Amino acid sequence: MGNGFVNPDATLEACGIPGVGTAHYNLTAPALYQMAMQRGEASAGAGGTLLVTTGKRTGRSPRDKFIVREPGYSDSVCWDSNSAMDPDRFETLQADMIAHLRGKECFVQDMHCGADAQHRINVRLVATLAWHSLFFRHLLRMPGPAGLSAFAPDCTIISCPGFRADPNRHGCRSDAVIAMSFRRKTILIAGTGYAGESKKSVFSYLNYTYPDAGVMPMHCSANHANGNPDDVAVFFGLSGTGKTTLSTDPARTLIGDDEHGWSDNGTFNLEGGCYAKTIGLDPASEPEIYATTRMFGTVIENMVFDPHTREPDYRDASISENMRCAYPLSYIGSASGTGVAGVPRHIFMLTCDAFGVLPPIARLTPEQAVYHFLSGFTSKTPGTEQGVAEPQPTFSACYGAPFMPRRAEEYGALLRERIRLAAPACWLVNTGWTGGAYGVGRRIPIGITRRLLSLALDGALAGLEFRRDPDFGFEVPLAVPGIDSGLLRPRDTWEDPAAHERQTARLLSMFTRNFEKFDIGPNRGALSELRAAC
């Protein structure tokens, strides 16, 4: 047994994982750093960072994710968007992975997920890689010694990148698998070294359990005004839309950059760290995130680096477009010390529009906000998922369909009720293209997006004159101080107005077709109202 804190009643043996060679429990970041180096898992980077590669899978593998179809749970899972695994296959997979661990060195991290003590859970990671354990320690929330001495896992993750799944034996698709059993409260990850699978699996688990507790789980970043935790803004969006970048603002306190809950108590971060994309990272526009890539223990994934200086190359994407760094929230000077705050006053729906037809910002009615939440329109950016080489327009319900076990309408109803009670201002923000589609136009500068967000947050934007967009129905400012008014009218930024009209018609048609998939059922009136409003 390793020398970290552990509850004797919650050892691996007590939890049904016998025969491990050496189990290191809850080692500190320096100890895990040292072991990752000694085991040849990583290289030391500039400033004491940890440089790692994840193997052939450098992003999430959504087609390799499965939920076990189990009595008592199956009826509440949306099988239209989630792949099922037979319980017997899961049991075989779990037994085979536990057998794989026999005699091997393992790293166990016992962590909290959820800053609100009323809604947090205990999560245990059993990993065969020291750097995966360090990553997990960064990304979730560390219990104190008292919490560890009484720790009993509510959910256990077993991560074995070196174990190759067998589709015929385990009922999966390839030699990689991410399988989740709600009845067993267990998540199995095999055949992939991409560390992001562990944190996203925990998020998926809570996306299933939280609605029964009346908590709205959100794939979003969040911050609040400095000194005023009741002035909260949340930023919904898929990877690559700017959640981390836009919420990391020295003028505001960062609650978290990716995953949150919204309960009767307010907004709370599920995590204790950040997992930021680093491709093209610029110290001028993203100074706080850039600074973390020089701090001790920051895990830097899949980045090319100078073998002499150990400086990472932020533009060389020869390993992957999905270059990332993982670090504790404490590395961000503006981060919240508690991870909890009030209910949102502003909701921003972030989209990366590869069509180039959406304005940089638009005001939404509550109905439109729920419509865009259910639609989840954006463009997948290169590297986030396997096989994505250029931006691909997509609709991902709730801005996180791969992580949503339940039907999207259930999450939409939760958000609708939360908006009704809190009455936040709602906005759609395009961080994608203008002046043409991808390949023709240009990406909207981050400085312009920051300026618009600042004006929205301090109330100045709401006091301006707006026009109703004839195509999408939302309201767009006519003019904004310090912003080229042409950007607020996307049609005017295109050299070929007819091409703009064709792209707009194409996107509108995609919105309409996508929304038809939602089951109206008992929500017929509500969803019909959303369609009419948009």
Side-chain angles (χ1 to χ4, degrees):
M1 184 183 296
N3 59 355
F5 289 100
V6 63
N7 175 5
D9 296 325
T11 62
L12 292 185
E13 291 80 3
C15 293
I17 306 178
V20 169
T22 302
H24 301 281
Y25 290 90
N26 301 307
L27 296 184
T28 63
L32 289 168
Y33 183 103
Q34 181 178 1
M35 296 203 74
M37 295 287 292
Q38 289 174 343
R39 288 161 50 90
E41 298 174 4
S43 300
T49 57
L50 198 68
L51 304 169
V52 300
T53 55
T54 62
K56 70 177 182 178
R57 289 180 170 86
T58 58
R60 289 184 293 104
S61 300
R63 294 180 62 199
D64 293 314
K65 290 183 61 178
F66 297 86
I67 295 175
V68 182
R69 194 188 290 269
E70 298 166 300
Y73 298 88
S74 296
D75 290 347
S76 51
V77 173
C78 178
W79 297 112
D80 293 341
S81 56
N82 291 281
S83 298
M85 177 176 281
D86 183 84
D88 291 340
R89 297 295 186 96
F90 183 89
E91 288 183 2
T92 299
L93 176 63
Q94 184 172 2
D96 288 350
M97 289 178 65
I98 290 175
H100 174 80
L101 292 176
R102 287 196 187 108
K104 289 185 171 58
E105 192 172 29
C106 290
F107 301 87
V108 181
Q109 282 293 322
D110 294 331
M111 305 294 290
H112 289 323
C113 187
D116 184 338
Q118 182 179 343
H119 298 292
R120 76 184 179 203
I121 65 169
N122 292 339
V123 183
R124 163 169 286 183
L125 175 74
V126 182
T128 55
L129 294 176
W131 81 261
H132 274 194
S133 193
L134 178 60
F135 171 94
F136 206 68
R137 187 179 178 89
H138 284 343
L139 265 294
L140 291 192
R141 310 186 70 84
M142 287 182 287
L148 288 174
S149 65
F151 191 94
D154 299 309
C155 176
T156 299
I157 303 171
I158 302 176
S159 175
C160 301
F163 179 86
R164 300 302 176 205
D166 181 343
N168 293 325
R169 179 174 172 81
H170 301 127
C172 50
R173 189 187 67 90
S174 72
D175 63 355
V177 63
I178 304 97
M180 180 179 302
S181 168
F182 295 120
R183 185 177 71 82
R184 296 169 178 82
K185 300 181 179 180
T186 300
I187 300 165
L188 305 176
I189 303 174
T192 173
Y194 183 64
E197 296 287 13
S198 61
K199 66 160 265 172
K200 288 302 185 186
S201 293
V202 178
F203 185 41
S204 298
Y205 185 88
L206 288 177
N207 277 343
Y208 179 82
T209 61
Y210 268 171
D212 287 339
V215 177
M216 172 70 194
M218 302 182 292
H219 186 208
C220 73
S221 58
N223 62 26
H224 66 73
N226 288 339
N228 185 2
D230 290 324
D231 184 3
V232 173
V234 299
F235 304 80
F236 285 102
L238 290 174
S239 178
T241 56
K243 294 194 311 301
T244 300
T245 298
L246 295 174
S247 59
T248 306
D249 180 349
R252 294 178 64 84
T253 300
L254 178 68
I255 305 170
D257 84 321
D258 199 34
E259 296 160 3
H260 293 79
W262 183 354
S263 71
D264 292 340
N265 301 332
T267 309
F268 62 96
N269 188 6
L270 302 187
E271 300 178 287
C274 298
Y275 191 34
K277 295 191 78 169
T278 54
I279 186 167
L281 190 62
D282 181 5
S285 60
E286 301 175 84
E288 291 201 303
I289 298 174
Y290 183 86
T292 69
T293 65
R294 298 293 192 279
M295 295 183 180
F296 175 79
T298 292
V299 177
I300 297 181
E301 284 183 339
N302 298 319
M303 288 189 72
V304 175
F305 60 92
D306 186 294
H308 177 65
T309 66
R310 300 302 177 94
E311 292 282 347
D313 188 332
Y314 301 94
R315 303 196 177 276
D316 188 336
S318 57
I319 297 177
S320 173
E321 295 271 356
N322 194 34
M323 309 182 308
R324 288 181 179 266
C325 62
Y327 49 88
L329 266 171
S330 59
Y331 282 12
I332 299 293
S334 60
S336 167
T338 65
V340 297
V343 300
R345 288 187 180 177
H346 291 270
I347 294 176
F348 297 96
M349 308 281 184
L350 305 180
T351 181
C352 176
D353 174 24
F355 286 96
V357 300
L358 293 178
I361 197 166
R363 184 167 60 187
L364 304 175
T365 65
E367 291 77 17
Q368 289 170 340
V370 177
Y371 179 92
H372 282 278
F373 174 75
L374 288 174
S375 299
F377 168 69
T378 191
S379 301
K380 293 179 183 177
T381 52
T384 302
E385 293 182 6
Q386 293 295 117
V388 179
E390 63 181 38
Q392 297 177 0
T394 188
F395 289 83
S396 184
C398 312
Y399 292 102
F403 324 121
M404 304 293 175
R406 297 174 181 263
R407 293 201 64 87
E409 296 92 329
E410 190 169 346
Y411 303 107
L414 273 170
L415 179 63
R416 185 185 182 91
E417 179 62 12
R418 290 292 174 191
I419 290 176
R420 185 187 70 80
L421 293 173
C426 300
W427 308 89
L428 181 70
V429 176
N430 176 24
T431 62
W433 277 260
T434 187
Y438 171 78
V440 176
R442 64 186 179 104
R443 195 83 186 257
I444 296 173
I446 187 67
I448 288 175
T449 303
R450 286 192 185 278
R451 168 71 175 162
L452 291 169
L453 289 179
S454 177
L455 292 171
L457 288 167
D458 68 15
L461 202 61
L464 301 178
E465 186 177 357
F466 286 73
R467 65 176 177 87
R468 186 178 185 276
D469 186 276
D471 297 309
F472 294 95
F474 44 51
E475 293 185 321
V476 183
L478 286 174
V480 176
I483 301 294
D484 180 358
S485 295
L487 284 175
L488 301 172
R489 292 182 174 272
R491 185 180 186 277
D492 294 346
T493 66
W494 285 56
E495 291 185 6
D496 183 353
H500 173 269
E501 297 303 318
R502 290 192 297 270
Q503 285 286 75
T504 299
R506 183 183 172 200
L507 181 55
L508 284 169
S509 177
M510 290 176 68
F511 265 101
T512 300
R513 290 197 307 271
N514 174 73
F515 210 78
E516 289 172 353
K517 70 186 179 186
F518 294 114
D519 181 13
I520 294 177
N523 295 315
R524 179 178 301 276
L527 289 182
S528 296
E529 179 184 351
L530 295 180
R531 288 193 181 97
C534 304

